[in-house]
Amino acid sequence: MTAPTLVAIREQVSNALREDLGGDVLLTNDITACLIDEQTTATATIITREPCVVCGVAWATEAFALFNGELDITWHVKDGDRVEANTTLATLSGNARIILTGERTALNFLQTLSATATVTHYYADILKHSNTQILDTRKTLPGLRLAQKYAVACGGGKNHRIGLFDAFLIKENHIFACGGIEKAVSTAKTMKPGVPVEVEVESIDELKKALSAKADIIMLDNFTNEQIQESVALNNGQSKLEVSGNITDARLSSLATLGVDYISSGALTKHVEAIDLSLRIHIS
C-alpha cells in the first residue's frame, strides 16, 4: 500500500493539533510555548531510544509545517528503514515555539506508526522462508486506518481489505442472516462480480460448505494446527486459505509450515506498544 495522500495526512495531523490547541491551529494557543520570545530560534533532534522500523515521516513533518513558520527539518531516515537504539531520526532548526508546539503531535504519529511497522516486521521475518503472508485486520485505531495499514506495508506485511467496501468478508452473523454459506456467497458474487469473497468458517463442516460455494478465500477461525492440516488437504488449492484467531509469535513458525496462504492478526495494529522516542531542543 502506498502512503495516504498529503491531503489526508494533513487532515489527520491538523485534527490532532486542534485537540492540543483548543480548536484552532494557532501557535498562540500554546500558552506554555508563549513563555518563550516569539523570535527565539533553536535546533532539535528526534531520537529513538530502541530499535525500530521507522514509519510516519510525513505525519511528523506536517505537525511542524502546518504552522507555516520558519523551520527546517532534515530527515536522516525514511519510512521502512530499520534503525538501532539511539539513532537520530531527524534534525530541526528554526522557530523554537513551532518546535515545542508541534513536538507531541509529531512524536505521537511517529511512535505509533513506527510501532505498527516494527511489530509487523517481526512477524513477517518469522514467515520469510515460507509462502505464507502476514495480513493486518480492521482492528485499527479510529481515524488511523490508512495510516496504520501503510505502516504494516512498511514493515513487510500485506493489507487485508481496507474497509467494508472493497471486499466481502462473510462471518457467522452474516451467514445466519443470509440463510447459509452457499446463499451468502452466491449473492455476493452476483451483487459485485470480481470483488473478492471471503468466508469465515469455524468447523470442517463449514469449510466444506465454503468450498462447495467456491469462496475465493476461506478464513479458518481459531482452528488447531491439526484442523488446519486437514483443511489444507481438503482444500487442495481450490481457495486461498487464511488463518485467524489465537495468533501469537510463538505459534507463527508452526503455522508457516502448514501450507496456508495468509495469517491475519489484529495485534499488528491494536496491541502495539509505542516506540520510545524523544526530542531534545537546544536554544540557538
Side-chain angles (χ1 to χ4, degrees), residues 164-229:
L164 299 174
F165 60 92
D166 59 326
F168 291 97
L169 179 47
I170 302 169
K171 297 191 173 188
E172 179 183 15
N173 288 333
H174 301 103
I175 293 168
F176 177 78
C178 288
I181 289 175
E182 294 90 342
K183 187 173 182 179
V185 172
S186 176
T187 301
K189 287 180 176 289
T190 301
M191 181 188 302
K192 294 282 187 181
V195 173
V197 178
E198 180 169 2
V199 179
E200 180 185 77
V201 300
E202 298 179 345
S203 67
I204 295 296
D205 182 58
E206 287 188 344
L207 168 69
K208 292 176 180 178
K209 291 178 181 178
L211 287 171
S212 176
K214 299 189 184 304
D216 300 308
I217 308 168
I218 301 174
M219 179 190 293
L220 310 176
D221 184 43
N222 284 303
F223 275 39
T224 64
N225 283 18
E226 290 73 21
Q227 288 174 313
I228 294 170
Q229 286 179 307

Side-chain angles (χ1 to χ4, degrees), residues 78-126:
K78 62 183 183 301
D79 287 345
D81 283 354
R82 296 171 60 190
V83 299
E84 298 302 321
N86 300 314
T87 297
T88 297
L89 306 182
T91 304
L92 301 82
S93 61
N95 186 275
R97 285 191 184 182
I98 293 177
I99 293 174
L100 292 170
T101 300
E103 171 187 2
R104 177 42 50 200
T105 295
L107 294 187
N108 280 349
F109 280 106
L110 198 60
Q111 70 188 15
T112 301
L113 298 183
S114 294
T116 294
T118 301
V119 171
T120 302
H121 174 76
Y122 175 68
Y123 277 42
D125 194 55
I126 295 174

Side-chain angles (χ1 to χ4, degrees), residues 12-43:
Q12 289 179 332
V13 175
S14 63
N15 285 339
L17 287 170
R18 280 195 289 270
E19 283 185 325
D20 249 354
L21 296 169
D24 296 303
V25 183
L26 297 172
L27 281 176
T28 52
N29 284 6
D30 181 352
I31 58 175
T32 309
C34 284
L35 298 173
I36 302 166
D37 187 278
E38 62 182 354
Q39 300 302 320
T40 299
T41 59
T43 59

Side-chain angles (χ1 to χ4, degrees), residues 131-147:
N131 292 320
T132 304
Q133 297 179 319
I134 189 71
L135 302 179
D136 53 27
T137 70
R138 288 171 48 238
K139 296 174 182 177
T140 53
L141 296 173
L144 287 182
R145 171 69 53 80
L146 295 182

